[in-house]
Amino acid sequence: MTSLTIDRVDVYPIALPYVEPLRTSFGVEPDKVAVLVCVTTAQGVEGWGEAAVEVKPGYGSETVGTALHILKNFLVPQVVGRTIIDPTEIPVLTHSVRGNHHTKAGLEAAVWDAAAKTNHLRLADYFASFLPEGHASRGKAVVGVSIGIQPTVEDTLKIIRKRMAQGYQRIKLKIEPGWELPLARGVRAALPDAVFMLDANSAYTLADAELLKQLDAYNLLMIEQPLGDNDIYQHSKLQPQLQTPICLDESIKTADDLRLALEIGACRILNLKPARVGGYTESLEIYRVCVEHGLPLWIGGMLETGIGRAANVAFASLPGVTMPCDISATDRYFDPDITEPPFVLNPDSTLDVPAGEGIGVEVIRERLDAAVASWHAQNVYVD
Ligand code: OSB
Ligand code: MG
């Protein structure tokens, strides 16, 4: 493998209108926001990454404001001028900065893209080179779609039918207290064979166990993150009471969190978001733990732009990712996205890994500039 020297790092806060915002139990944001990271190597290669942060600390604790602060003052100075063999060295260089996983993941992803391009590989094949034999990319990712909280069950059914007609074979529905039973009952009655699941984004407590047990009647693929966003212990008390598998999202921030969750029986499935765990180096470690334990694994999403999504598609194409992922086609999120070409859903509910080197999508400069201007025009939190 060819080494690379990080010459400069540029950061871009962006705002991009959603085609359809996603309402969750913690709220709704009208625009996709993120901090995009561009790493330029001494050899002139550009790599792009996305720090999947939000306007408000809703899903996680990081925002556009914290990401800019941490990148500019603490992370970028640790990596500029460094020569590295591969991106697994980045977490070592940034180790002195605690937490800030989504922000670190954006920087690391840019280096992964640059390193894959330096070695003239698709990012998917470059990831596979860090895994044992037998883990070559399948060239595509099996995907589903995530649907936000709607005013009525009828409204939800309309969207589900539209998505199924587009070819999505796994549907995820966001829930909040009071919405779970009417929704699950209504959807299962109307669509007896649909493969669907619920995502609570930490909206319940262990005191709701009796309520959550009633969901067992609706043959859900899984329930995602019912309890606290930092909790593993209470999930281990809930899982044995449910037939429905619990999938952890928010609470698994490291490979060791997952080892603990497995040891105490807190989940039967994992949603791995590379952003949440600090990047693809930790993601590869978590992937290995899942393979070792036979734990069903899928890749989650943060409604990423084409930059973050392309890297997630690459990772999701690895064979240890055994369940449909929260990565949908471009037209579900943006019109247009800031990258080309768009991701298009195949009839078998898959997205292809782009053919090009690295993430395999191009950033369209005019669209990037417009998204940066839009962030600056409307941002109310950063001075
Ligand atoms: O909990 O999985 C989640 C989006 C933002 C924050 C949290 C979540 C989500 C999603 C989006 O469900 C899935 C996607 O990117 O399509
Ligand atoms: Mg989730």
Side-chain angles (χ1 to χ4, degrees), residues 351-369:
L351 297 177
D352 292 330
V353 173
E357 292 175 0
I359 57 175
V361 294
E362 294 288 333
V363 176
I364 308 300
R365 272 285 163 180
E366 306 82 75
R367 298 186 198 162
L368 174 68
D369 293 345

Side-chain angles (χ1 to χ4, degrees), residues 59 172 174 199 201 224 249-250 271 273:
Y59 168 82
K172 162 166 144 180
K174 295 287 186 179
D199 185 0
N201 287 112
E224 191 177 332
D249 173 356
E250 281 89 331
N271 167 349
K273 290 185 184 168

Side-chain angles (χ1 to χ4, degrees), residues 29-113:
E29 293 194 353
D31 285 311
K32 166 67 199 169
V33 300
V35 176
L36 302 178
V37 181
C38 181
V39 164
T40 309
T41 71
Q43 297 80 9
V45 175
E46 268 190 7
W48 286 89
E50 178 167 344
V53 291
E54 297 170 291
V55 174
K56 296 178 187 168
Y59 168 82
S61 57
E62 297 164 78
T63 66
V64 172
T66 71
L68 290 171
H69 168 64
I70 295 290
L71 278 162
K72 286 181 186 168
N73 295 303
F74 304 108
L75 296 177
V76 172
Q78 292 295 324
V79 304
V80 168
R82 300 281 185 165
T83 300
I84 57 167
I85 304 288
D86 68 61
T88 65
E89 292 174 47
I90 297 295
V92 181
L93 294 174
T94 60
H95 185 69
S96 63
V97 178
R98 298 274 164 88
N100 294 284
H101 283 189
H102 292 245
T103 304
K104 286 178 176 172
L107 175 62
E108 205 203 278
V111 180
W112 276 99
D113 182 33

Side-chain angles (χ1 to χ4, degrees), residues 2-230:
T2 312
S3 68
L4 57 98
T5 301
I6 299 172
D7 224 18
R8 57 178 292 159
V9 179
D10 295 291
V11 299
Y12 302 93
I14 58 140
L16 195 64
Y18 287 122
V19 170
E20 194 178 284
L22 183 78
R23 188 156 99 74
T24 65
S25 60
F26 60 82
V28 63
E29 293 194 353
D31 285 311
K32 166 67 199 169
V33 300
V35 176
L36 302 178
V37 181
C38 181
V39 164
T40 309
T41 71
Q43 297 80 9
V45 175
E46 268 190 7
W48 286 89
E50 178 167 344
V53 291
E54 297 170 291
V55 174
K56 296 178 187 168
Y59 168 82
S61 57
E62 297 164 78
T63 66
V64 172
T66 71
L68 290 171
H69 168 64
I70 295 290
L71 278 162
K72 286 181 186 168
N73 295 303
F74 304 108
L75 296 177
V76 172
Q78 292 295 324
V79 304
V80 168
R82 300 281 185 165
T83 300
I84 57 167
I85 304 288
D86 68 61
T88 65
E89 292 174 47
I90 297 295
V92 181
L93 294 174
T94 60
H95 185 69
S96 63
V97 178
R98 298 274 164 88
N100 294 284
H101 283 189
H102 292 245
T103 304
K104 286 178 176 172
L107 175 62
E108 205 203 278
V111 180
W112 276 99
D113 182 33
K117 286 170 175 160
T118 299
N119 287 288
H120 303 293
L121 290 171
R122 295 187 306 179
L123 183 55
D125 302 322
Y126 190 54
F127 283 146
S129 76
F130 290 81
L131 292 168
E133 251 178 72
H135 287 273
S137 165
R138 294 166 295 187
K140 58 187 181 168
V142 180
V143 304
V145 65
S146 179
I147 299 175
I149 298 169
Q150 308 297 322
T152 67
V153 173
E154 265 318 303
D155 292 324
T156 315
L157 280 169
K158 239 180 251 164
I159 301 176
I160 296 174
R161 289 196 174 97
K162 176 175 94 177
R163 297 303 183 201
M164 289 174 74
Q166 289 172 332
Y168 291 104
Q169 292 171 10
R170 187 233 59 179
I171 304 289
K172 162 166 144 180
L173 304 172
K174 295 287 186 179
I175 53 168
E176 61 188 353
W179 180 235
E180 67 301 292
L181 284 177
L183 181 70
R185 195 184 299 123
V187 172
R188 186 48 84 211
L191 301 165
D193 301 322
V195 178
F196 82 99
M197 55 179 284
L198 305 178
D199 185 0
N201 287 112
S202 298
Y204 298 85
T205 70
L206 203 48
D208 298 310
E210 288 307 317
L211 169 68
L212 296 170
K213 272 194 227 177
Q214 295 181 56
L215 292 171
D216 283 342
Y218 303 108
N219 188 24
L220 303 176
L221 187 61
M222 69 192 83
I223 179 163
E224 191 177 332
Q225 197 71 33
L227 309 182
D229 63 311
N230 280 317

